């Protein structure tokens, strides 16, 4: 690994700088990334300007583009809002809860040989403030939800490599559709979706723990 990074970043900016160091080579260690993200303690003064809420759906708000190797974004979840069941387009996904509680429901991939069947749920995890979750497509699919009807929630997500579409699934039938993913805002400013805008990314090889 080239360069030094702060194992215990005190601010969001220090976390971003540490992530740039961790992603400065073609090989990245999953446990190192997860550890640095866990060690940053959430501070609303750091991330509040990026947390843009919408009454109708959760929002994806770009914080940093990671020199093409990753996207770092904040997802703002209003009361009762959640995602569909979705894949991650062969990317690595880290999710850190900044505020509130989020539930992750895990599902196995539907069988390609069966046309219509309810999806198999394989796990449920509840994540509190400062906890970090990790998933990739080899582990399965997931849905993330803010189950609270009185409190909003906020989370920090890192995707490597970046992607601009993923597969979404109907839990009742397993039916799959490709969905475009867009940013509600970039760097704290509202950014309307512009058709035709893809994301270019570098290829990064991840080192996985042997027991994963």
């Amino acid at each position: 690994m080239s360069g030094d990074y702060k194992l215990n970043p005190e601010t969001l900016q220090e976390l971003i700088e540490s992530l740039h160091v961790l992603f400065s080579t073609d090989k990245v260690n999953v446990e190192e990334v997860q550890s640095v993200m866990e060690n940053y303690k959430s501070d609303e003064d750091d991330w509040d300007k990026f947390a843009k809420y919408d009454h109708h759906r959760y929002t994806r708000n770009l914080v940093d583009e990671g020199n093409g190797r990753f996207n770092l974004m904040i997802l703002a979840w209003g009361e009762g809002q959640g995602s569909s069941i979705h894949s991650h387009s062969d990317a690595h996904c880290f999710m850190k809860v900044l505020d509130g509680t989020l539930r992750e429901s895990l599902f196995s991939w539907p069988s390609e040989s069966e046309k219509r069947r309810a999806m198999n749920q394989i796990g449920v995890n509840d994540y509190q403030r400062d906890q970090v979750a990790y998933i990739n497509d080899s582990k399965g699919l997931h849905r993330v939800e803010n189950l609270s009807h009185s409190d909003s929630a906020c989370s920090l997500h890192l995707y490597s490599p970046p992607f601009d579409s993923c597969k979404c699934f109907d839990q009742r039938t397993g039916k799959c559709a490709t969905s475009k993913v867009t940013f509600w805002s970039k760097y704290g400013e509202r950014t309307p979706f512009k058709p035709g805008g893809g994301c270019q990314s570098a290829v990064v090889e991840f080192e996985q723990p042997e027991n994963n």
Side-chain angles (χ1 to χ4, degrees):
M1 180 180 299
S2 62
D4 296 323
Y5 68 95
K6 291 190 175 182
L7 180 60
N8 297 288
E10 296 181 0
T11 66
L12 180 59
Q13 183 56 40
E14 288 184 358
L15 173 61
I16 292 170
E17 292 169 0
S18 293
L19 291 171
H20 274 261
V21 174
L22 288 171
F23 283 85
S24 63
T25 68
D26 292 337
K27 290 188 177 181
V28 176
N29 185 287
V30 168
E31 289 184 331
E32 286 183 327
V33 175
Q34 186 161 349
S35 179
V36 168
M37 292 185 69
E38 286 175 345
N39 290 344
Y40 163 67
K41 301 308 177 186
S42 175
D43 183 346
E44 283 84 349
D45 290 340
D46 278 342
W47 51 260
D48 185 64
K49 67 178 180 180
F50 300 109
K52 308 295 186 182
Y53 290 88
D54 186 291
H55 291 298
H56 304 291
R57 52 160 295 163
Y58 74 95
T59 64
R60 304 169 80 252
N61 306 282
L62 183 66
V63 176
D64 190 85
E65 289 186 304
N67 294 327
R69 293 180 179 272
F70 65 89
N71 273 342
L72 188 69
M73 66 192 74
I74 283 179
L75 272 59
W77 311 82
E79 295 85 343
Q81 292 178 347
S83 74
S84 62
I85 301 171
H86 61 275
S87 70
H88 293 91
S89 299
D90 294 320
H92 299 264
C93 170
F94 301 83
M95 178 185 78
K96 176 186 178 71
V97 177
L98 297 175
D99 190 38
T101 300
L102 290 172
R103 171 163 292 184
E104 176 192 45
S105 300
L106 297 160
F107 297 84
S108 56
W109 285 79
S111 171
E112 294 183 1
S113 62
E114 295 178 302
K115 298 296 183 183
R116 185 183 178 94
R117 183 179 179 182
M119 295 185 66
N120 180 37
Q121 184 169 332
I122 56 177
V124 176
N125 299 307
D126 288 328
Y127 292 98
Q128 313 291 332
R129 186 184 181 103
D130 285 326
Q131 291 185 309
V132 177
Y134 169 78
I135 191 172
N136 63 48
D137 285 345
S138 70
K139 293 178 175 290
L141 309 165
H142 77 176
R143 174 175 61 214
V144 177
E145 301 169 280
N146 174 22
L147 297 181
S148 175
H149 292 285
S150 58
D151 298 308
S152 60
C154 195
S155 51
L156 182 70
H157 294 242
L158 186 152
Y159 300 109
S160 178
F163 58 89
D164 56 10
S165 65
C166 66
K167 293 181 179 179
C168 295
F169 297 83
D170 185 324
Q171 184 175 354
R172 299 166 299 173
T173 65
K175 183 178 179 181
C176 170
T178 298
S179 177
K180 188 85 171 176
V181 291
T182 60
F183 295 117
W184 199 97
S185 71
K186 290 185 177 182
Y187 318 116
E189 299 295 332
R190 182 73 166 103
T191 305
F193 170 62
K194 296 180 180 180
C199 62
Q200 297 180 347
S201 58
V203 176
V204 178
E205 180 181 347
F206 274 76
E207 298 173 357
Q208 300 269 9
E210 292 184 359
N211 59 352
N212 277 6

